[in-house]
Amino acid sequence: MRPRLFGATACAAAAGLLGSLLTACGSSAGSDGTTLRLVAAEYGTGPATGSQVYWDKLTAAFAAAHPGKKVEVTLYPWDDVDREVTRLVEEGNAPDVALMGAYSDFAAQGRLYSADELLSVRAEANFLPPLAEAGSFDNALYGLPFVASSRLLFYNEELFEKAGAEPPRTWADLKEAAGKLKKEGVPYPYALPLGPEEAHAEALIWLLSNGGGYAGSYGGYSIASEQNTRTFRWIRDNLTTPGLTGPVPPGELNRRDAFAAFLRGQVGMLNGYPSLLHEARAKGIKVGTLSMPVSGTLEDGQVPPAAGVADWMMAFKRDGNRELVGSFLEFVYEDENLNEFADRYHLLPSTVSANRASKGAAADPADTQFLDALRGAELYPVNEPSWLKVSDTIKRNIGKAVAPSADPQAVLGEIAHDVQEMAKQS
């Protein structure tokens, strides 16, 4: 859930929320076993939706249940949190716990506790398997998944009905539907956000639907594979060149802008996650959801995985903090606490028991569809220590591969070369 979410989540907060300090019971510095420092991403878009309310309640409850223990929480927007945590680590002032989009570079440096050093066996085994797999480095769980989302294709049912289009099951169907939507005057028949905000998510969705992806078969990366090249060549020839992706070039279209256009009723199709579905419904937009259409080159019956996104809790090793960190994380991952956060942002909780107990999943069939997709989803290769830098390179460059005048093979090859250098340095 960059998203990101989460991944998958809103990417900026109001100025009054940024870097705010929340305390459960006073504040103090150091690792004396009584004060825990958490740096977390801000999931809200303003005071009304900010994460401060959640963390205030959670940390107060934790302090009440653990007399003499304190929690300090600092919030940063998604655009800044990875950089700020990295800065703190480099300054020798790492927080006890961080909630952000990547963990493996810190795990590779030996800076993190593994889950079995902090959690009970029951708590460690409770994470959804695809998330636990993505959170593991060197056969140990270091990235504790917090909230997650999967991606489904959304389509505006009213626009489809007016255009006489059918929900697509294949790429050819998608192209046909987009053509009909364009003839009907829909500004964005298919919104293709390959701008630098979250291009790596949209690209992964397309790559998976053709049997490709970012990860190599035996570890590392496979950016410029023949399958991936064919995917971007098809998009270029069948969507961007015929003008079926809208007035903004895909490489300049960010997710937030594509989502805003969808909420204005200007988009026929786009890939989305649960929170967008709830926003659209609140505005009276009738939304259909289905799995991402597949290419015609897949074998009969082959069902590619959905794209999944998760955000990660990680615990930094500091003298004297292990017991307190373990107690806090056990508290965070109690079903009631995890579900309260997930429900607040219409995301999916990361544990088996929280999903069973989720009121949102029980009440909304669409949430169940996202959860079913997440169970078999493929996530970013976040367990590669270089992923933080690699994902940034993909976000800034992958959109170039679908420009009408582009050579996808050359663009992907250049990205792959840069990625290879980054992997060597990690």
Side-chain angles (χ1 to χ4, degrees):
M1 196 189 325
R2 184 181 55 113
R4 47 167 249 55
L5 268 185
F6 221 180
T9 55
C11 295
L17 294 172
L18 308 188
S20 60
L21 182 66
L22 320 179
T23 62
C25 183
S27 63
S28 65
S31 298
D32 57 4
T34 63
T35 301
L36 182 144
R37 294 168 52 229
L38 166 66
V39 173
E42 170 58 69
Y43 284 67
T45 57
T49 60
S51 303
Q52 178 171 345
V53 174
Y54 171 81
W55 291 115
D56 273 340
K57 180 180 178 181
L58 182 88
T59 54
F62 178 79
H66 299 80
K69 307 300 183 183
K70 309 171 185 179
V71 180
E72 298 175 349
V73 182
T74 304
L75 300 178
Y76 291 103
W78 274 109
D79 290 348
D80 299 333
V81 66
D82 290 353
R83 180 176 63 253
E84 289 298 326
V85 172
T86 299
R87 177 183 61 80
L88 290 170
V89 171
E90 291 175 348
E91 292 175 353
N93 190 30
D96 297 289
V97 179
L99 170 58
M100 49 191 281
Y103 71 89
S104 56
D105 49 346
F106 299 125
Q109 296 167 18
R111 297 182 183 273
L112 302 181
Y113 289 114
S114 59
D116 61 0
E117 296 178 285
L118 300 169
L119 302 178
S120 65
V121 173
R122 181 178 180 180
E124 184 181 358
N126 195 24
F127 294 111
L128 291 168
L131 304 183
E133 181 179 353
S136 296
F137 174 80
D138 255 0
N139 299 314
L141 181 63
Y142 290 96
L144 309 183
F146 184 57
V147 287
S149 73
S150 56
R151 303 298 170 90
L152 297 173
L153 185 74
F154 291 10
Y155 62 96
N156 185 310
E157 292 182 343
E158 292 184 354
L159 295 180
F160 262 63
E161 184 177 353
K162 185 181 295 186
E166 295 292 330
R169 300 293 176 180
T170 66
W171 286 3
D173 295 342
L174 188 149
K175 177 184 178 182
E176 181 179 355
K180 291 180 178 180
L181 290 162
K182 183 180 180 181
K183 289 180 180 178
E184 199 60 36
V186 176
Y188 293 88
Y190 178 88
L192 183 66
L194 291 176
E197 179 191 351
E198 206 199 27
H200 59 320
E202 179 71 16
L204 179 61
I205 293 167
W206 278 93
L207 296 178
L208 292 175
S209 69
N210 191 32
Y214 294 136
S217 300
Y218 303 100
Y221 301 98
S222 181
I223 305 293
S225 69
E226 179 56 33
Q227 284 173 304
N228 291 351
T229 300
R230 285 199 301 266
T231 297
F232 284 99
R233 189 177 292 127
W234 189 93
I235 296 172
R236 179 199 64 187
D237 294 343
N238 294 276
L239 294 181
T240 53
T241 299
L244 299 180
T245 56
V248 180
E252 300 175 16
L253 181 65
N254 280 321
R255 180 194 62 183
R256 70 189 75 177
D257 299 320
F259 282 11
F262 186 77
L263 295 174
R264 293 193 300 268
Q266 298 177 334
V267 174
M269 297 173 279
L270 88 173
N271 285 299
Y273 49 68
S275 58
L276 177 63
L277 181 60
H278 285 266
E279 287 185 72
R281 286 176 171 174
K283 290 182 175 290
I285 299 174
K286 295 180 180 180
V287 182
T289 60
L290 67 160
S291 300
M292 177 65 187
V294 298
S295 75
T297 62
L298 294 180
E299 296 179 7
D300 289 343
Q302 184 178 352
V303 179
V309 181
D311 300 327
W312 308 96
M313 283 275 191
M314 62 212 73
F316 287 88
K317 294 179 179 179
R318 294 167 63 91
D319 291 340
N321 75 341
R322 178 176 164 179
E323 182 178 352
L324 177 58
V325 167
S327 297
F328 178 69
L329 290 175
E330 288 274 356
F331 188 75
V332 166
Y333 284 99
E334 290 181 8
D335 292 349
E336 180 180 0
N337 295 329
L338 186 58
N339 273 329
E340 183 171 344
F341 190 93
D343 290 346
R344 180 177 179 83
Y345 296 104
H346 302 295
L347 296 168
L348 303 174
S350 60
T351 66
V352 174
S353 61
N355 273 287
R356 288 173 180 164
S358 173
K359 294 179 181 178
D364 192 336
D367 285 348
T368 301
Q369 187 179 9
F370 282 106
L371 177 58
D372 288 343
L374 181 63
R375 290 193 176 106
E378 180 168 325
L379 282 74
Y380 304 132
V382 290
N383 45 15
E384 290 287 344
S386 57
W387 174 245
L388 196 59
K389 294 179 180 178
V390 168
S391 63
D392 182 63
T393 296
I394 293 172
K395 286 188 287 187
R396 288 186 291 103
N397 294 288
I398 202 76
K400 301 173 185 176
V402 300
S405 60
D407 177 355
Q409 185 175 28
V411 174
L412 294 182
E414 185 174 345
I415 294 173
H417 176 268
D418 292 342
V419 165
Q420 186 176 25
E421 294 302 311
M422 292 173 187
K424 291 178 180 179
Q425 297 171 12
S426 64

